[in-house]
Amino acid sequence: MSKYFLHGSLNAKEGKGEELAGILLEASALVSKAKGCQLYLISISPEEPDTVWVTEVWDSEEDHKASLKNEEVRSLISKAMPILGGQPQQGQTLVNLGGHGV
Amino acid sequence: MSKYFLHGSLNAKEGKGEELAGILLEASALVSKAKGCQLYLISISPEEPDTVWVTEVWDSEEDHKASLKNEEVRSLISKAMPILGGQPQQGQTLVNLGGHGV
Protein backbone atom coordinates (compact mmCIF):
# COMPACT_ATOMS: atom_id res chain seq x y z
CA MET A 1 0.00 0.00 0.00
CA SER A 2 1.30 3.42 -0.86
CA LYS A 3 2.45 5.68 1.94
CA TYR A 4 3.00 9.38 2.55
CA PHE A 5 6.64 10.36 2.05
CA LEU A 6 8.33 13.63 3.00
CA HIS A 7 11.95 14.61 2.46
CA GLY A 8 12.85 18.17 3.31
CA SER A 9 15.46 20.50 4.69
CA LEU A 10 15.38 22.75 7.70
CA ASN A 11 17.94 25.52 7.91
CA ALA A 12 19.41 26.61 11.20
CA LYS A 13 20.95 29.96 11.97
CA GLU A 14 24.71 30.04 11.46
CA GLY A 15 26.46 27.58 13.76
CA LYS A 16 23.19 26.11 15.06
CA GLY A 17 22.94 23.06 12.77
CA GLU A 18 24.13 20.61 15.39
CA GLU A 19 21.67 21.95 17.97
CA LEU A 20 18.82 21.70 15.44
CA ALA A 21 19.80 18.12 14.56
CA GLY A 22 19.73 17.29 18.29
CA ILE A 23 16.20 18.66 18.67
CA LEU A 24 15.06 16.70 15.62
CA LEU A 25 16.60 13.50 16.98
CA GLU A 26 14.56 14.11 20.15
CA ALA A 27 11.52 14.54 17.90
CA SER A 28 12.25 11.23 16.17
CA ALA A 29 12.07 9.43 19.52
CA LEU A 30 8.67 11.02 20.16
CA VAL A 31 7.12 10.38 16.75
CA SER A 32 8.37 6.80 16.73
CA LYS A 33 5.39 6.18 19.04
CA ALA A 34 2.94 8.16 16.90
CA LYS A 35 0.23 6.35 14.95
CA GLY A 36 1.32 5.56 11.41
CA CYS A 37 4.97 6.72 11.66
CA GLN A 38 7.14 4.25 9.74
CA LEU A 39 10.27 6.33 9.30
CA TYR A 40 11.69 9.58 10.67
CA LEU A 41 15.35 10.06 9.80
CA ILE A 42 17.65 12.95 10.60
CA SER A 43 20.55 13.57 8.21
CA ILE A 44 23.07 16.29 7.55
CA SER A 45 25.18 17.42 4.64
CA PRO A 46 28.90 17.70 5.41
CA GLU A 47 29.04 20.67 2.99
CA GLU A 48 26.18 22.58 4.62
CA PRO A 49 26.53 22.06 8.38
CA ASP A 50 23.56 24.30 9.22
CA THR A 51 21.11 22.39 7.02
CA VAL A 52 19.34 19.38 8.51
CA TRP A 53 17.30 16.95 6.40
CA VAL A 54 14.27 15.11 7.70
CA THR A 55 12.96 12.06 5.81
CA GLU A 56 9.57 10.75 6.90
CA VAL A 57 7.26 7.90 5.90
CA TRP A 58 3.72 7.85 7.32
CA ASP A 59 0.84 5.46 6.63
CA SER A 60 -1.17 8.53 5.58
CA GLU A 61 -1.00 12.32 5.35
CA GLU A 62 -3.65 12.41 8.10
CA ASP A 63 -1.36 10.50 10.50
CA HIS A 64 1.39 13.03 9.79
CA LYS A 65 -0.92 15.97 10.42
CA ALA A 66 -2.23 14.42 13.62
CA SER A 67 1.33 14.03 14.96
CA LEU A 68 1.86 17.79 14.69
CA LYS A 69 -0.94 18.31 17.22
CA ASN A 70 0.85 16.25 19.88
CA GLU A 71 1.79 18.49 22.80
CA GLU A 72 5.33 17.16 23.23
CA VAL A 73 5.97 17.53 19.48
CA ARG A 74 4.65 21.11 19.60
CA SER A 75 6.94 21.83 22.52
CA LEU A 76 9.95 20.64 20.48
CA ILE A 77 8.84 22.73 17.50
CA SER A 78 8.78 25.78 19.82
CA LYS A 79 12.29 24.90 20.98
CA ALA A 80 13.53 24.77 17.37
CA MET A 81 11.84 27.96 16.13
CA PRO A 82 14.37 30.49 17.53
CA ILE A 83 17.34 28.75 15.91
CA LEU A 84 15.77 28.35 12.44
CA GLY A 85 17.28 30.48 9.70
CA GLY A 86 15.65 32.22 6.81
CA GLN A 87 16.82 29.95 3.99
CA PRO A 88 14.03 28.48 1.88
CA GLN A 89 13.22 24.83 2.45
CA GLN A 90 13.97 22.26 -0.23
CA GLY A 91 12.62 18.79 -0.68
CA GLN A 92 9.76 16.68 -1.95
CA THR A 93 6.38 15.36 -0.88
CA LEU A 94 6.03 11.95 -2.55
CA VAL A 95 4.05 8.74 -2.63
CA ASN A 96 6.09 5.81 -1.39
CA LEU A 97 5.34 2.65 -3.35
CA GLY A 98 7.33 0.32 -1.11
CA GLY A 99 10.84 -1.01 -1.02
CA HIS A 100 13.07 -2.37 1.70
CA GLY A 101 13.05 -1.05 5.26
CA VAL A 102 9.57 0.22 6.10
CA MET B 1 26.65 5.53 14.34
CA SER B 2 26.30 7.69 11.26
CA LYS B 3 25.26 6.03 8.02
CA TYR B 4 25.49 6.73 4.30
CA PHE B 5 22.28 8.32 3.00
CA LEU B 6 21.25 8.82 -0.63
CA HIS B 7 18.09 10.44 -1.93
CA GLY B 8 17.88 10.95 -5.65
CA SER B 9 15.67 10.98 -8.71
CA LEU B 10 15.78 8.84 -11.82
CA ASN B 11 13.92 10.08 -14.87
CA ALA B 12 12.21 7.69 -17.24
CA LYS B 13 11.38 8.36 -20.85
CA GLU B 14 7.86 9.71 -21.35
CA GLY B 15 5.25 7.23 -20.15
CA LYS B 16 7.84 4.84 -18.71
CA GLY B 17 7.77 5.97 -15.07
CA GLU B 18 5.65 3.07 -13.87
CA GLU B 19 7.91 0.54 -15.61
CA LEU B 20 10.99 2.15 -14.06
CA ALA B 21 9.37 2.08 -10.61
CA GLY B 22 8.66 -1.62 -11.11
CA ILE B 23 12.30 -2.36 -11.95
CA LEU B 24 13.45 -0.39 -8.90
CA LEU B 25 11.02 -2.27 -6.66
CA GLU B 26 12.60 -5.49 -7.98
CA ALA B 27 15.99 -3.97 -7.12
CA SER B 28 14.81 -3.21 -3.58
CA ALA B 29 14.04 -6.89 -3.04
CA LEU B 30 17.57 -7.77 -4.19
CA VAL B 31 19.46 -5.18 -2.17
CA SER B 32 17.45 -5.97 0.95
CA LYS B 33 19.80 -8.97 1.20
CA ALA B 34 22.94 -6.93 0.50
CA LYS B 35 25.45 -6.29 3.27
CA GLY B 36 24.79 -3.02 5.05
CA CYS B 37 21.53 -2.07 3.31
CA GLN B 38 19.18 -0.56 5.91
CA LEU B 39 16.72 1.20 3.64
CA TYR B 40 15.88 1.25 -0.07
CA LEU B 41 12.60 3.03 -0.80
CA ILE B 42 10.91 3.71 -4.12
CA SER B 43 8.65 6.74 -4.33
CA ILE B 44 6.94 8.76 -7.04
CA SER B 45 5.65 12.27 -7.41
CA PRO B 46 2.03 12.50 -8.54
CA GLU B 47 2.95 15.68 -10.46
CA GLU B 48 5.87 14.09 -12.32
CA PRO B 49 4.82 10.54 -13.21
CA ASP B 50 8.04 9.77 -15.08
CA THR B 51 10.31 10.67 -12.16
CA VAL B 52 11.10 7.96 -9.61
CA TRP B 53 12.83 8.72 -6.31
CA VAL B 54 15.13 6.27 -4.57
CA THR B 55 15.98 6.79 -0.89
CA GLU B 56 18.77 4.62 0.49
CA VAL B 57 20.52 4.14 3.83
CA TRP B 58 23.66 2.01 3.97
CA ASP B 59 26.00 1.26 6.85
CA SER B 60 28.79 2.72 4.71
CA GLU B 61 29.52 4.13 1.26
CA GLU B 62 31.64 1.00 0.65
CA ASP B 63 28.64 -1.27 1.22
CA HIS B 64 26.67 0.77 -1.31
CA LYS B 65 29.47 0.56 -3.89
CA ALA B 66 29.85 -3.17 -3.34
CA SER B 67 26.14 -3.71 -4.01
CA LEU B 68 26.50 -2.21 -7.48
CA LYS B 69 28.92 -5.01 -8.38
CA ASN B 70 26.30 -7.70 -7.67
CA GLU B 71 25.42 -9.51 -10.90
CA GLU B 72 21.65 -9.50 -10.39
CA VAL B 73 21.74 -5.80 -9.55
CA ARG B 74 23.79 -5.11 -12.69
CA SER B 75 21.27 -7.06 -14.72
CA LEU B 76 18.45 -4.86 -13.40
CA ILE B 77 20.48 -1.71 -14.15
CA SER B 78 20.84 -2.95 -17.75
CA LYS B 79 17.07 -3.48 -17.90
CA ALA B 80 16.45 0.10 -16.73
CA MET B 81 19.00 1.82 -18.99
CA PRO B 82 16.91 1.87 -22.21
CA ILE B 83 13.94 3.53 -20.52
CA LEU B 84 15.91 6.25 -18.71
CA GLY B 85 15.40 9.79 -19.99
CA GLY B 86 17.81 12.64 -20.33
CA GLN B 87 16.62 14.80 -17.44
CA PRO B 88 19.30 15.66 -14.90
CA GLN B 89 19.16 13.85 -11.59
CA GLN B 90 18.29 15.70 -8.42
CA GLY B 91 18.89 14.78 -4.82
CA GLN B 92 21.36 14.64 -1.97
CA THR B 93 24.12 12.50 -0.58
CA LEU B 94 23.95 12.92 3.20
CA VAL B 95 25.14 11.56 6.52
CA ASN B 96 22.31 9.97 8.47
CA LEU B 97 22.64 10.64 12.19
CA GLY B 98 19.84 8.31 13.24
CA GLY B 99 16.14 8.60 13.92
CA HIS B 100 13.27 6.17 13.85
CA GLY B 101 13.01 3.32 11.38
CA VAL B 102 16.50 2.14 10.48
Side-chain angles (χ1 to χ4, degrees), chain B residues 12-100:
Chain B
K13 289 185 177 152
E14 204 181 328
K16 297 287 188 186
E18 205 171 318
E19 189 178 336
L20 179 59
I23 294 171
L24 290 166
L25 283 166
E26 276 187 70
S28 74
L30 276 182
V31 297
S32 72
K33 298 168 215 153
K35 179 178 174 288
C37 182
Q38 303 293 336
L39 188 81
Y40 193 97
L41 297 185
I42 311 307
S43 307
I44 51 163
S45 161
E47 292 86 35
E48 297 175 282
D50 294 325
T51 299
V52 185
W53 291 84
V54 185
T55 310
E56 307 176 43
V57 176
W58 294 83
D59 287 343
S60 69
E61 186 174 357
E62 290 65 38
D63 285 340
H64 173 250
K65 278 190 184 161
S67 75
L68 298 173
K69 292 178 187 157
N70 175 288
E71 219 165 280
E72 288 176 285
V73 171
R74 293 176 74 91
S75 158
L76 276 176
I77 293 171
S78 305
K79 204 169 148 188
M81 289 301 280
I83 61 165
L84 291 179
Q87 295 282 338
Q89 272 193 283
Q90 303 173 63
Q92 293 83 37
T93 302
L94 301 170
V95 177
N96 173 247
L97 300 178
H100 164 59

Side-chain angles (χ1 to χ4, degrees), chain A residues 4-23:
Chain A
Y4 186 66
F5 181 105
L6 291 170
H7 174 74
S9 67
L10 287 170
N11 294 284
K13 288 184 178 155
E14 206 181 327
K16 297 287 188 185
E18 204 170 320
E19 187 179 337
L20 179 60
I23 293 172

Side-chain angles (χ1 to χ4, degrees), chain A residues 5-12 17-18 20-22 24-25 28 39-56, chain B residues 1-7 39 55-58 92-100 102:
Chain A
F5 181 105
L6 291 170
H7 174 74
S9 67
L10 287 170
N11 294 284
E18 204 170 320
L20 179 60
L24 290 165
L25 284 166
S28 74
L39 189 81
Y40 193 98
L41 298 183
I42 311 306
S43 306
I44 52 163
S45 161
E47 291 87 35
E48 297 175 283
D50 294 325
T51 299
V52 185
W53 291 84
V54 184
T55 309
E56 307 177 43
Chain B
M1 211 185 81
S2 62
K3 292 187 162 57
Y4 186 66
F5 181 105
L6 291 170
H7 174 75
L39 188 81
T55 310
E56 307 176 43
V57 176
W58 294 83
Q92 293 83 37
T93 302
L94 301 170
V95 177
N96 173 247
L97 300 178
H100 164 59
V102 300

Side-chain angles (χ1 to χ4, degrees), chain A residues 28-43:
Chain A
S28 74
L30 275 183
V31 296
S32 71
K33 299 169 215 153
K35 180 177 173 288
C37 183
Q38 302 294 335
L39 189 81
Y40 193 98
L41 298 183
I42 311 306
S43 306

